[in-house]
Amino acid sequence: MAALMASHAGLLQQHPGLVRMLFAELQRPATSPARETGKAFMQRFRLRLAALIAAAQAEPTSRNTSP
């Protein structure tokens, strides 16, 4: 999960206005190609995050997770 978050943080550092543009597009009532792309991105991110959480929950808890 840390690698996923680091990857997204790097993307956001390279494109600082991306989040603002994405959420502005998602707020609009009318559909557009940018809105559909944003919705698809958010759906893929949710699925990846849910899969990572499920995999982490399935692992034995004896692993040391402290920094």
Side-chain angles (χ1 to χ4, degrees):
M1 188 173 324
L4 176 69
M5 293 302 169
S7 171
H8 284 290
L11 175 70
L12 296 176
Q13 284 178 340
Q14 293 173 7
H15 307 283
L18 182 64
V19 172
R20 180 184 51 80
M21 290 177 7
L22 173 66
F23 285 113
E25 221 23 74
L26 291 173
Q27 295 285 326
R28 299 174 74 156
T31 189
S32 71
R35 179 180 167 87
E36 294 305 314
T37 299
K39 285 172 56 177
F41 172 80
M42 295 298 286
Q43 178 64 22
R44 285 191 311 270
F45 183 75
R46 275 192 296 273
L47 292 173
R48 287 181 68 189
L49 196 54
L52 286 171
I53 290 170
Q57 289 174 337
E59 287 183 12
T61 59
S62 63
R63 199 169 130 183
N64 184 2
T65 58
S66 61

